[in-house]
């Protein structure tokens, strides 16, 4: 139902994680995701802990789904001395090519407990159906 567009993206994510660099608008970090089919829907879940819903941006152009998010630093008082800061900040982005069998007009998005979940219905034409075969002796149905 989807195609990976950049085979080196996972390597970039690992290098960014090891080097401690955060994503920028010109070179965003990758966000982890799961994708699976559940009944008549295709589900894509993105891990975005600590991201405010106002900092999420979801776009679909033709069959290209783009999700962008920004995790900003938490405002700290002048008296706060940071001892350790490991949580990545910055811009995160992911692009996914969606199959023609998905209804991109009816995508539903929910954000709960740091997980952005997109549910994309599978189009009617992609669902299994019976096909009638005509012959000289009558009609017969074959299911696929």
């Amino acid at each position: 139902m989807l195609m990976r567009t950049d085979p080196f993206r996972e390597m970039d994510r690992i290098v960014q994680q090891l080097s401690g660099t955060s994503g920028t608008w010109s070179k965003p970090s990758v966000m982890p995701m799961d994708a699976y089919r559940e009944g008549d829907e295709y589900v894509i879940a993105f891990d975005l802990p600590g991201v405010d819903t106002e900092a999420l941006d979801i776009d679909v152009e033709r069959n290209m789904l783009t999700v962008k998010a920004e995790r900003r630093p938490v405002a700290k008082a002048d008296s706060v001395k940071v001892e350790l800061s490991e949580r990545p900040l910055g811009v995160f982005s992911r692009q996914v090519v969606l199959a023609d069998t998905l209804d991109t007009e009816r995508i539903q998005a929910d954000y709960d407990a740091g997980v952005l979940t997109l549910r994309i219905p599978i189009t009617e034409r992609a669902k299994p159906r019976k096909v009638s075969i005509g012959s000289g002796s009558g009609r017969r149905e074959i299911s696929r």
Side-chain angles (χ1 to χ4, degrees):
M1 290 292 175
L2 63 96
M3 299 176 350
R4 292 183 180 256
T5 57
D6 187 356
F8 300 102
R9 193 122 200 197
E10 184 64 16
M11 285 190 62
D12 287 344
R13 185 188 67 79
I14 293 169
V15 168
Q16 284 178 349
Q17 200 171 27
L18 293 174
S19 66
T21 58
S22 58
T24 62
W25 283 107
S26 61
K27 186 157 177 57
S29 298
V30 71
M31 63 185 84
M33 72 174 217
D34 291 336
Y36 53 92
R37 182 175 177 164
E38 187 177 274
D40 289 339
E41 292 181 320
Y42 199 70
V43 181
I44 305 174
F46 299 93
D47 276 351
L48 295 166
V51 174
D52 189 79
T53 55
E54 298 296 318
L56 290 172
D57 185 38
I58 305 167
D59 290 314
V60 178
E61 185 175 335
R62 295 188 184 192
N63 288 1
M64 179 66 71
L65 170 72
T66 304
V67 177
K68 288 186 179 179
E70 183 176 9
R71 184 179 305 132
R72 299 175 182 112
V74 177
K76 297 175 181 70
D78 291 337
S79 61
V80 173
K81 180 180 174 187
V82 176
E83 296 291 329
L84 179 66
S85 180
E86 294 182 341
R87 297 174 48 213
L89 301 174
V91 179
F92 302 86
S93 178
R94 192 74 183 248
Q95 285 190 313
V96 179
V97 178
L98 302 174
D100 290 333
T101 57
L102 299 176
D103 187 354
T104 59
E105 297 293 320
R106 298 185 356 198
I107 296 176
Q108 294 179 343
D110 293 305
Y111 185 64
D112 184 38
V115 178
L116 174 65
T117 304
L118 304 180
R119 294 184 173 279
I120 311 166
I122 296 171
T123 60
E124 288 296 319
R125 64 186 164 101
K127 294 178 184 176
R129 63 188 182 280
K130 297 221 181 253
V131 177
S132 297
I133 299 175
S135 68
S137 63
R139 291 198 176 272
R140 175 178 88 160
E141 285 191 0
I142 296 179
S143 61
R144 67 170 192 173

